[in-house]
Amino acid sequence: MSTLHTTVWESCLTVIRDNISSQAFKVWFEPIVPTKLENNVLTIQVPSHFFYEWLEQHYIHLLKKVIKKEIGPDATLEYSIVIENNSNQSTPYTVKLPTQNTSNLQNPSQSVPLQATEPQIRNPFIIPGLKKVTIASNLIPSHTFENFVEGECNRLARASGYAVANKPGGTAFNPLLIYGGVGLGKTHLAHAIGLSIKDQHPNKTVLYVQSEKFAHQFIDAIKNQTTNDFIHFYQMVDVLIIDDVQFFAGKEKTQDVFFSIFNHLHQNGKQIVLTSDKAPVEMQGMEQRLLSRFKWGLSADLTIPDLETRIAILEKKMYASGIELPKEVVEYLAYSINTNVREIEGALNTLLMQSSLNRKAITLDLAKQMVDKFVKNTAREVSIEYIQKIVCDYFDLPIELLKSKTRKREVVQARQISMYFSKKMTKSSLANIGAHCGGKDHATVLHACRTVINLSETDKQFRVYLEDLEKKLTIN
Ligand code: ADP
Ligand code: MG
């Protein structure tokens, strides 16, 4: 009987594993330890309060379903949260579920101090043979968590960054590796972590450095025969943030020195945060032993923000610069620039500059001209999403209907027109257009295009619609 909880939990995990990504499973379910099952209450032990909140926010429905299936309809779940404290009391903090409002919960870190005394040397920057060195953290003050808009595209990276900032060196996320394409917010997030650590733990030494700079410093150290000082310097920080580690690829000596610094810091419970433009598996020219260390902690990716997040980012930036843009301009920018956040920012800045230089009001027309002239590549092409929005606005239909399967006449017509313009104005495949328009297949899209062409030849009113819409969609 004593292992019943383990068996039950194993069965739960089997179902959970099939329902979420393997990365999420590894991060959020592997660390859980089932501790008891009594009176239909299954108790699971989780490593932190943050962990518990994350489960509550993201997996509670799945957990409830699985537990009821395995134990019965009256089953409930209880968490016990492991708290580390200095006095060696190991009374885990217990939270009973189902809970409605997590914010009402007492915060365990308030009742039991996580670290009453800092076991660190007061001033670690006295290096033998060197004068006292004060180091600047190299953090950009505006790159805070508050200024970093949350979205599906960055949820895991942001949340794990947040966890690391609350408890540097004290989470399973060590190293934390944030990866993703250019302009998606890796550097911003890395700074946010550093800033938040400095804010919450003022006596921790945080150091942000770009890999390129690290590599150059190292070369200088070799030249000046000061490699030991170089290594000591880096080994003495509490939090080391290295941006764009992919730069180390192919640089064996730099990788070796970084390897030894990494090991020293990790062994001493210091936090390491890395960013890279590639996932560890795709990093060519990086030593295996380093790659395997990158995988010790958590790798979280950043992807291209969805439309709502792009709008939220634009609004945040506008607010920061104290300027208000017409809603249609904001929407146009968010719809048409879907490459990365840096380009969105660039477009916004160019637009603001253009308007102040030429003393022109920021109108949709100006935005269109600007995007056409200044924004590179993909932005020149209207997107399927933008076409759908313009068509739906024109016919006064909610865009969700267009994406749904409904066969109401007006919706079908708007959907067919969207497909027609998507075929005509974007490089998307028929299958992709179909997928955006209520999950239709390529034959349906082709049929829609033919219907639109036929109607435009026979129906005068319909032709007017098309001409109006074409004008609205053309960027010039
Ligand atoms: P990367 O390092 O991935 O190339 P950056 O961190 O330099 O990208 O981000 C590019 C720009 O976009 C920065 O100015 C940053 O502030 C902004 N940015 C990126 N993601 C977000 C976000 N989620 N919210 C607000 N601004 C963002
Ligand atoms: Mg960067």
Side-chain angles (χ1 to χ4, degrees):
M1 275 310 265
S2 67
T3 57
L4 184 61
H5 56 270
T6 333
T7 331
V8 166
W9 182 243
E10 279 303 330
S11 319
C12 294
L13 285 183
T14 314
V15 182
I16 293 169
R17 195 182 279 116
D18 286 337
N19 280 284
I20 63 174
S21 76
S22 61
Q23 172 79 354
F25 185 83
K26 180 178 159 213
V27 177
W28 301 109
F29 288 91
E30 277 182 4
I32 297 177
V33 183
T35 53
K36 62 175 187 227
L37 175 60
E38 271 173 15
N39 306 327
N40 289 336
V41 181
L42 175 68
T43 308
I44 57 173
Q45 194 179 62
V46 296
S48 67
H49 192 261
F50 166 80
F51 204 105
Y52 149 69
E53 282 181 351
W54 183 273
L55 289 174
E56 275 274 287
Q57 277 171 17
H58 298 268
Y59 298 113
I60 194 61
H61 295 300
L62 178 61
L63 272 167
K64 272 192 185 153
K65 224 193 241 166
V66 174
I67 278 159
K68 290 199 192 305
K69 180 173 163 274
E70 292 301 324
I71 305 171
D74 300 331
T76 50
L77 186 62
E78 235 179 59
Y79 293 84
S80 82
I81 300 174
V82 182
I83 298 182
E84 298 138 33
N85 56 27
N86 289 333
S87 50
N88 262 351
Q89 302 163 2
S90 53
T91 34
Y93 176 79
T94 303
V95 186
K96 285 202 167 132
L97 265 189
T99 36
Q100 291 305 319
N101 185 355
T102 46
S103 63
N104 283 342
L105 289 168
Q106 175 197 15
N107 183 351
S109 62
Q110 278 160 6
S111 49
V112 187
L114 294 177
Q115 274 192 324
T117 49
E118 284 275 328
Q120 258 112 53
I121 319 158
R122 275 304 109 203
N123 188 346
F125 284 95
I126 299 171
I127 299 171
L130 278 184
K131 286 214 192 100
K132 181 181 160 189
V133 187
T134 40
I135 58 163
S137 292
N138 303 327
L139 295 167
I140 302 173
S142 60
H143 279 1
T144 57
F145 274 116
E146 290 76 51
N147 291 338
F148 190 77
V149 175
E150 184 176 358
E152 212 40 68
C153 55
N154 59 35
R155 193 149 285 145
L156 178 66
R158 191 181 184 282
S160 35
Y162 208 72
V164 161
N166 286 337
K167 227 178 152 194
T171 66
F173 313 148
N174 200 13
L176 173 62
L177 172 69
I178 302 162
Y179 68 94
V182 297
L184 294 179
K186 301 181 295 293
T187 297
H188 187 141
L189 197 52
H191 281 275
I193 297 169
L195 289 168
S196 172
I197 295 177
K198 285 200 37 154
D199 205 33
Q200 300 183 67
H201 312 267
N203 45 16
K204 291 221 186 284
T205 323
V206 179
L207 179 62
Y208 165 92
V209 65
Q210 280 160 340
S211 331
E212 203 171 342
K213 180 148 183 215
F214 179 93
H216 287 158
Q217 283 177 347
F218 177 55
I219 293 169
D220 284 347
I222 297 176
K223 271 196 223 139
N224 302 330
Q225 300 184 324
T226 51
T227 33
N228 280 343
D229 290 342
F230 174 85
I231 294 172
H232 281 143
F233 177 81
Y234 276 98
Q235 283 180 342
M236 280 188 228
V237 301
D238 297 310
V239 179
L240 179 60
I241 305 171
I242 301 219
D243 206 355
D244 290 317
V245 279
Q246 78 277 355
F247 183 80
F248 290 163
K251 300 185 174 59
E252 281 169 31
K253 283 252 164 58
T254 312
Q255 287 183 35
D256 287 347
V257 78
F258 178 57
F259 182 74
S260 73
I261 292 169
F262 183 106
N263 285 343
H264 183 94
L265 293 176
H266 199 276
Q267 276 158 17
N268 288 286
K270 305 301 166 86
Q271 180 68 46
I272 300 154
V273 177
L274 307 169
T275 79
S276 160
D277 67 355
K278 293 182 194 68
V281 282
E282 288 162 7
M283 280 186 220
Q284 310 276 322
M286 201 70 96
E287 284 177 36
Q288 209 47 48
R289 57 182 189 160
L290 256 188
L291 287 181
S292 78
R293 267 156 184 75
F294 291 173
K295 291 183 208 150
W296 277 356
L298 174 75
S299 309
D301 67 336
L302 294 174
T303 54
I304 297 170
D306 58 22
L307 183 67
E308 285 74 25
T309 315
R310 298 204 293 276
I311 293 180
I313 291 174
L314 273 164
E315 281 170 349
K316 187 128 210 161
K317 306 271 172 202
M318 268 163 33
Y319 186 78
S321 50
I323 289 166
E324 233 181 285
L325 293 182
K327 194 161 164 279
E328 52 179 10
V329 172
V330 175
E331 284 182 348
Y332 176 76
L333 292 178
Y335 273 103
S336 51
I337 306 175
N338 52 13
T339 43
N340 66 55
V341 185
R342 189 170 299 144
E343 289 212 351
I344 296 178
E345 255 188 352
L348 182 67
N349 291 338
T350 316
L351 187 57
L352 298 179
M353 204 174 70
Q354 282 289 311
S355 114
S356 68
L357 280 180
N358 304 330
R359 296 173 185 280
K360 277 193 201 158
I362 301 177
T363 58
L364 187 56
D365 272 347
L366 184 65
K368 285 182 177 177
Q369 284 170 26
M370 193 277 314
V371 167
D372 190 39
K373 264 200 221 146
F374 298 99
V375 180
K376 293 175 288 184
N377 50 53
T378 48
R380 286 179 66 93
E381 186 183 279
V382 291
S383 64
I384 301 179
E385 282 168 326
Y386 187 64
I387 293 172
Q388 290 176 334
K389 178 187 153 27
I390 294 295
V391 173
C392 286
D393 282 357
Y394 187 80
F395 291 113
D396 201 15
L397 288 171
I399 199 154
E400 298 76 46
L401 270 186
L402 193 126
K403 292 183 180 177
S404 75
K405 301 221 180 285
T406 183
R407 302 176 85 147
K408 282 204 187 110
R409 213 183 134 266
E410 311 76 57
V411 181
V412 171
Q413 180 178 305
R415 196 184 287 133
Q416 288 182 331
I417 294 177
S418 302
M419 289 175 176
Y420 163 80
F421 280 118
S422 301
K423 178 75 194 84
K424 189 169 166 185
M425 299 181 136
T426 75
K427 293 193 196 79
S428 294
S429 65
L430 293 172
N432 187 32
I433 295 172
H436 275 78
C437 299
K440 307 286 187 225
D441 62 13
H442 80 283
T444 313
V445 180
L446 209 53
H447 173 74
C449 295
R450 286 201 194 108
T451 311
V452 170
I453 293 168
N454 288 342
L455 271 176
S456 73
E457 282 161 5
T458 53
D459 183 335
K460 213 167 152 199
Q461 178 58 48
F462 191 83
R463 197 155 58 235
V464 174
Y465 292 161
L466 282 194
E467 284 165 6
D468 278 356
L469 281 166
E470 180 136 18
K471 253 185 240 145
K472 284 182 187 292
L473 287 168
T474 310
I475 299 169
N476 53 29

